[in-house]
């Protein structure tokens, strides 16, 4: 199959060089069916799609390239080119910059040129928006005296149609988003948070955090309980996906813990629930939660962002708790909820709200990409139908008959 795949790739490359992009796409597709993880095939097909004006399909193949190998600079260049063609300048700029980070401008000249094109178009758009704003101000100023037809005409000429299209696209995407279960899941999670006793989920106090020094994994294993306890905490409680959004909570460690303490805790939990060592059901799922949390905290940028979120959540929780204290104190009984529990709930809610916003953005992007693919497919079908109609019209001798009728008409006219 490898020989057959390579032969198909050679054929596709030849069609691409001959600018027969439709046939090139067909051959690349055949080759991909034989080897669905061959990154060059997706890269080349993305280029063919882009040259064939099928931009959303080019984007999908470019995204597959990045997914297969995030360190391959050409994959990011393909992604940037597709995004640029779709008019997503910010995303295209980021992808070109990532491509140049992976491979410098001395070698990666395509990405350098692409980044320059993005910046030029950004500058052009800024100038157009400035002109549009000035035209709007002029129109508003003259409206008190009655706008002239020439001013209205100028405003219409200046206002680009693309802005209207973008607004319609945004409205269409927003209106076509299917209602799913995520909103209900979030509401259910919030109600559970408000009703749950979070003492087991809360971060350990500073006194319980091990001091810096040599790793004491055995002692931590004792503190963490059994593998079954950790598996239950991580994946067998309701709405665990939402509760585990905070990686410090997953590792059951304070957000003020040092990097060395995070590393020790990760090792201790791994010894308990690693699927190669633990035969408990759901051990693999629990380990995956721990692995993801550790990866997030090993990234200094993400770690800082997470700590900032926790501090914000704790501040909000304290504010709400104090307000509730004042209300209940005036009415008599004191609340059973402690300050620490209120802060923990506020942190969990904040992480859940941000995750919902992220999912919403992803859903909007998917709907937008689907809409773009549908529009492109409809355009391709229309062109095909027009071409078939023209060919059938010529084959049916209708063209010759109409020309003959016109000649006979002219001949009779001359005789008169």
């Amino acid at each position: 199959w490898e020989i057959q795949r390579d032969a198909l790739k050679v054929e596709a490359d030849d069609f691409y060089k001959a600018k027969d992009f439709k046939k090139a796409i067909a051959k690349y597709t055949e080759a991909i069916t034989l080897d669905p993880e061959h990154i060059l095939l997706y890269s080349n097909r993305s280029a063919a799609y882009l040259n064939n004006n099928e931009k959303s399909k080019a984007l999908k193949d470019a995204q597959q390239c990045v997914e297969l190998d995030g360190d391959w600079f050409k994959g990011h260049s393909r992604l940037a080119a597709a995004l640029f063609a779709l008019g997503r300048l910010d995303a295209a700029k980021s992808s070109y910059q990532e491509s140049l980070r992976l491979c410098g401008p001395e070698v990666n000249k395509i990405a350098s040129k692409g980044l320059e094109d993005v910046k030029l178009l950004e500058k052009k758009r800024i100038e157009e928006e400035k002109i549009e704003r000035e035209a709007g101000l002029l129109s508003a100023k003259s409206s008190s005296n009655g706008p002239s037809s020439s001013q209205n005409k100028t405003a219409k000429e200046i206002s680009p149609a693309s802005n209207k299209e973008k607004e319609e696209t945004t409205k269409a995407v927003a209106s076509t988003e299917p209602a799913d279960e995520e909103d209900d899941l979030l509401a259910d999670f919030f109600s559970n948070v408000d009703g749950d006793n979070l003492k087991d989920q809360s971060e350990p106090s500073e006194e319980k955090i091990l001091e810096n020094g040599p790793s004491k994994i055995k002692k931590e294993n004792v503190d963490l309980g059994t593998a079954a306890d950790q598996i239950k905490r991580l994946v067998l409680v309701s709405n665990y996906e939402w509760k585990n959004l905070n990686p410090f909570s997953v590792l059951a460690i304070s957000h003020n813990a040092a990097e060395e303490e995070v590393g020790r805790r990760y090792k201790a939990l791994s010894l308990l629930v690693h699927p190669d060592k633990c035969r408990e059901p759901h051990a693999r799922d629990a380990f995956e939660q721990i692995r993801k949390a550790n990866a997030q905290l090993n990234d200094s940028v993400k770690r800082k962002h997470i700590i900032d979120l926790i501090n914000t959540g704790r501040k909000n929780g304290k504010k709400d708790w104090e307000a509730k204290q004042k209300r209940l104190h005036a009415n008599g009984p004191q609340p059973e909820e402690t300050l620490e529990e209120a802060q923990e709930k506020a942190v969990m809610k904040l992480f859940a709200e941000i995750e919902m916003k992220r999912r919403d953005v992803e859903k909007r992007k998917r709907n937008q990409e689907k809409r773009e693919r549908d529009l492109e497919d409809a355009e391709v079908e229309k062109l095909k139908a027009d071409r078939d109609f023209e060919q059938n019209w010529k084959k049916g001798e209708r063209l010759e008959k109409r020309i003959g009728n016109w000649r006979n008409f002219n001949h009779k006219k001359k005789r008169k």
Side-chain angles (χ1 to χ4, degrees), residues 185-251:
L185 287 173
L186 185 61
D188 180 54
F189 167 67
F190 282 170
S191 64
N192 284 346
V193 168
D194 290 333
D196 281 349
N197 184 346
L198 296 176
K199 287 181 181 179
D200 293 336
Q201 295 286 332
S202 61
E203 295 177 0
S205 63
E206 294 300 325
E207 291 78 16
K208 291 183 180 180
I209 300 174
L210 294 177
E211 296 179 359
N212 289 331
S215 176
K216 298 180 180 179
I217 292 176
K218 286 186 179 180
K219 185 177 186 307
E220 292 212 6
N221 279 343
V222 174
D223 294 341
L224 295 171
T226 65
D229 293 335
Q230 290 301 320
I231 291 170
K232 181 180 178 181
R233 179 181 72 87
L234 290 167
V235 295
L236 296 182
V237 294
S238 61
N239 297 306
Y240 74 88
E241 305 96 331
W242 299 98
K243 291 180 179 179
N244 291 345
L245 291 171
N246 178 358
F248 286 104
S249 177
V250 172
L251 298 180

Side-chain angles (χ1 to χ4, degrees), residues 229-289:
D229 293 335
Q230 290 301 320
I231 291 170
K232 181 180 178 181
R233 179 181 72 87
L234 290 167
V235 295
L236 296 182
V237 294
S238 61
N239 297 306
Y240 74 88
E241 305 96 331
W242 299 98
K243 291 180 179 179
N244 291 345
L245 291 171
N246 178 358
F248 286 104
S249 177
V250 172
L251 298 180
I253 196 168
S254 169
H255 68 287
N256 293 319
E259 291 183 22
E260 296 81 2
E261 294 165 9
V262 172
R264 285 203 303 271
R265 180 54 58 89
Y266 170 68
K267 290 177 183 177
L269 287 169
S270 297
L271 286 174
L272 279 175
V273 302
H274 196 287
D276 292 344
K277 298 178 181 180
C278 178
R279 299 305 175 190
E280 291 278 348
H282 305 290
R284 187 174 297 279
D285 296 332
F287 176 72
E288 181 61 20
Q289 295 293 322

